[in-house]
Amino acid sequence: LVSWNALLASYAQNGHMEQAKRTFERMPEHNLVSLNSMLVAYAQNGHFGRAKSFFDSVSASYEANTVLWNSMLAALARDGKLAEAKDMFDEIPQWNLVSWNSMLAAFAQHGDMARAKDLFDRMPEKNVVSVNAMLTGYTQNGLLENAKEMFAKLPEVNLVQCNALLASYAQAGSVENAKQVFDELPCKDLVSWNSLLAAYAVKSHLNSAKDLFDRMPQHDMVSSTTMIAAYSMAAQLEEAECLFYSGLPHRDEISWTCILGAYARNGRLTQAERIFTRQPEQNRISCGAMLAAYSLNGHSHQARSTFDYMRALYTPDDISFVSILISCSSGARVYDGRCYFTSMESDYGIRAKKQHYCCMVDLLGRGGYLEHAYELLANMPFAAD
RNA sequence: CCCCCUUGAGAUG
């Protein structure tokens, strides 16, 4: 049984879902380790829907086990379902360090640093993972002072922390800084390579990206998907398609969403729609990509129905509100726009950002409500730019 | 033999 489990785990780690599934089905017996490996295989390969149904079917017939709960909690957080993750955390019969860390990371990744800090302070035990989760939460939410303070107290810096720094430069579009951190790393792993690749992709440095992609020691799903995204950003659809259809070891939920986004971003609505209805698992990001594509191309009716569809299945986020407001603006639907704008705060607790004010001012201005537009500008909680 | 931190997918007139 132990060797079967080891085999299963190694397929799971390398993203060979079919093999993992076949191994799981062929095993003479299952224990908690096998169940958990299968659950993690689904979650880490982007099959969030399948992970959830697997967990539900398993937890109906097995004793509650902290490792299974922890894996499912992490999967929910990775899929952006913070509220569900929190509910699940509260249901866990017995917590351990990993449960605390998972919940902490979920808060931090969703920008809720207040709750993250609160949890961090109350955790009965902590380790380097807990500290790293806090650190990256700070850097990704622009709380650099807090991050520095915490960094200063570290006895030594490890590769995960360096990679996190590299990634935060990449996300901020500071290619130079990212490159410098990368070059100075004494040893690099795949995450380091992938992060630098992402830095190039974000800034549409297609040649550097391509060059790096060809030079890196290995590729995994992350590398290839990043490269597809780089082609998409640079409007090289044929290259993106080529890599997606014939350069991937397999296709997961994220790579499907990536190619959908490539079509959507480049105005190929029909192809995007086809992927959307055909992809094995839709998710809130593929929905968001469709919504954005409709908005930006002036299909306000489809935008609205996609928004409703999305709202029924997932919790809309700030980005989906930007899209729907844009579509109201181009369809001159001032009243609808105001409804969405107020509903965003009151029904979903999403605080309006600059982008939302920008959309609203645009909407009001175009609709001839200039004085309302000025009033909104004067009362928003930001300096106008 | 399995679970937690760092890298890939959506918008911005």
Side-chain angles (χ1 to χ4, degrees), chain A residues 1 61-62 74 85 119 121-122 146 177 181 202 258 263 283 349-350:
Chain A
L1 181 59
S61 45
Y62 284 81
L119 186 60
D121 291 336
R122 291 200 333 251
N146 308 56
N177 289 324
V181 173
V202 163
C258 187
Y263 288 129
N283 55 57
I350 299 170

Side-chain angles (χ1 to χ4, degrees), chain A residues 112-237:
Chain A
D112 196 337
M113 289 313 290
R115 280 206 273 183
K117 180 73 167 70
D118 183 54
L119 186 60
F120 184 77
D121 291 336
R122 291 200 333 251
M123 287 167 61
E125 45 173 341
K126 315 178 191 2
N127 62 7
V128 65
V129 173
S130 338
V131 173
N132 289 351
M134 286 301 292
L135 270 176
T136 57
Y138 285 137
T139 57
Q140 296 192 347
N141 292 288
L143 301 167
L144 296 179
E145 290 311 312
N146 308 56
K148 275 184 198 160
E149 196 181 318
M150 216 166 174
F151 252 118
K153 290 182 192 152
L154 296 176
E156 56 182 350
V157 180
N158 66 23
L159 181 58
V160 169
Q161 287 152 354
C162 293
N163 283 340
L165 181 65
L166 168 48
S168 66
Y169 284 131
Q171 282 154 12
S174 313
V175 175
E176 295 311 318
N177 289 324
K179 176 90 166 60
Q180 189 183 345
V181 173
F182 180 83
D183 288 338
E184 286 170 2
L185 285 176
C187 57
K188 314 171 201 324
D189 64 5
L190 238 194
V191 173
S192 328
W193 287 91
N194 287 341
S195 300
L196 184 60
L197 184 63
Y200 291 138
V202 163
K203 297 300 271 183
S204 294
H205 292 186
L206 186 60
N207 291 331
S208 310
K210 211 168 157 13
D211 190 52
L212 191 76
F213 188 72
D214 292 337
R215 264 182 22 232
M216 48 197 289
Q218 309 121 31
H219 296 155
D220 64 359
M221 284 298 290
V222 175
S223 335
S224 304
T225 310
T226 306
M227 198 57 226
I228 294 174
Y231 285 130
S232 161
M233 298 288 300
Q236 305 289 322
L237 260 187

Side-chain angles (χ1 to χ4, degrees), chain A residues 338 341 357 360-361 364-365 369-382 384:
Chain A
R338 299 185 108 151
F341 187 73
Y357 280 97
M360 284 309 289
V361 168
L364 292 168
Y369 297 86
L370 275 181
E371 59 293 349
H372 294 268
Y374 278 120
E375 194 183 321
L376 191 66
L377 275 175
N379 293 325
M380 69 180 187
F382 309 102

Side-chain angles (χ1 to χ4, degrees), chain A residues 22 53 155 207 243 260 266 283 290 346 366:
Chain A
R22 217 173 306 136
S53 31
N207 291 331
L243 188 50
L260 185 158
N266 292 287
N283 55 57
M290 287 310 302
S346 57
R366 282 160 176 270

